[in-house]
Amino acid sequence: MIVLHYTGMVDAASAIARLCDPAAKVSAHYLVTEDGQVLRMVAEDKRAWHAGASHWRGLSNINSASVGIELVNPGHEFGYRPFPDEQIDALIPLVAEIKDRHAITRGNIVGHSDIAPTRKQDPGELFPWARLAKLRLALPRPTKNLMDPNWTEAGFLLALERFGYDVTDKLAAVVAFQRRFRPELIDGEIDGECRAILLALLLPKPRGDD
């Protein structure tokens, strides 16, 4: 897996200092600054402590099976803002190389909020997933031939769990799904658009962003 994060600290220097502090007990394999510098913090064959308590597609020990990438951004607590083009321009080849090197499927390139919906919001609704999806570096947001399957709430949650999310906390799971696949409206409500997007994602070939 590849897990994308934002640093959620006031600046890059503070984030780097914390990621290098053994007492903090947090680390990541790479950090990408807002001006496009890529820093390798932990070798890929070593475990980095970036995921925390998390779950995706039946796997709970995600630190043991993932590469963690931190993107410098103050996050929701310190003035969340769009990710600069220079930062994403540097991230894209990094993700592509890691994906190819480890044969990672695009469905296993996720945000921290996808794997820890009750605790995390990063990389957040401003992250340009569409840019990665167009290069097959993430799943696209389905946009074509959407059809509402009219699932019950329980049916939607079962489908969401099948897709990969931990649905123990219903609201947190729905919000995380919306933050990733319908960021313009994050209200925690299961509506026809959410059902249609999720159904399309469960198809063998998700459609959209092309």
Side-chain angles (χ1 to χ4, degrees):
M1 294 176 60
I2 297 172
V3 183
L4 303 181
H5 309 254
Y6 63 42
T7 52
M9 301 191 73
V10 292
D11 55 29
S14 301
I16 292 168
R18 186 164 189 267
L19 289 167
C20 292
D21 180 2
K25 296 183 178 180
V26 61
S27 54
H29 294 93
Y30 296 95
L31 179 139
V32 184
T33 66
E34 288 184 297
D35 63 1
Q37 296 180 71
V38 177
L39 285 69
R40 190 176 79 169
M41 311 291 287
V42 176
E44 284 180 27
D45 63 347
K46 305 296 183 184
R47 183 193 302 248
W49 298 93
H50 60 95
S54 49
H55 178 90
W56 186 252
R57 296 186 169 177
L59 180 67
S60 293
N61 191 10
I62 288 177
N63 282 327
S64 70
S66 63
V67 173
I69 302 174
E70 292 274 358
L71 296 157
V72 172
N73 187 295
H76 292 82
E77 187 175 355
F78 296 108
Y80 188 47
R81 58 185 179 234
F83 297 82
D85 288 341
E86 296 88 345
Q87 190 173 33
I88 304 304
D89 288 345
L91 174 68
I92 283 172
L94 176 63
V95 170
E97 290 164 8
I98 297 168
K99 179 180 184 291
D100 290 346
R101 195 156 50 242
H102 298 289
I104 297 169
T105 66
R106 57 184 178 154
N108 283 333
I109 299 174
V110 297
H112 202 185
S113 59
D114 293 318
I115 64 170
T118 62
R119 301 186 301 110
K120 297 296 180 179
Q121 302 179 70
D122 57 314
E125 60 277 5
L126 298 179
F127 182 77
W129 285 106
R131 284 196 59 188
L132 275 67
K134 286 176 180 176
L135 298 169
R136 299 187 66 81
L137 299 178
L139 285 174
R141 172 181 177 164
T143 56
K144 295 180 178 179
N145 304 314
L146 295 180
M147 180 184 68
D148 182 0
N150 290 305
W151 291 321
T152 62
E153 178 181 290
F156 178 85
L157 293 173
L158 181 63
L160 193 59
E161 184 176 40
R162 181 169 294 177
F163 180 65
Y165 285 88
D166 177 358
V167 299
T168 305
D169 184 320
K170 180 199 79 170
L171 178 61
V174 173
V175 166
F177 174 76
Q178 292 173 337
R179 194 182 301 280
R180 171 72 183 272
F181 292 105
R182 196 191 62 184
E184 70 276 8
L185 179 58
I186 305 170
D187 60 4
E189 297 292 329
I190 300 169
D191 58 22
E193 186 177 35
C194 289
R195 291 190 295 265
I197 290 171
L198 180 55
L199 174 63
L201 285 166
L202 288 167
L203 295 174
K205 293 183 179 180
R207 293 165 293 191
D209 283 353
D210 54 9

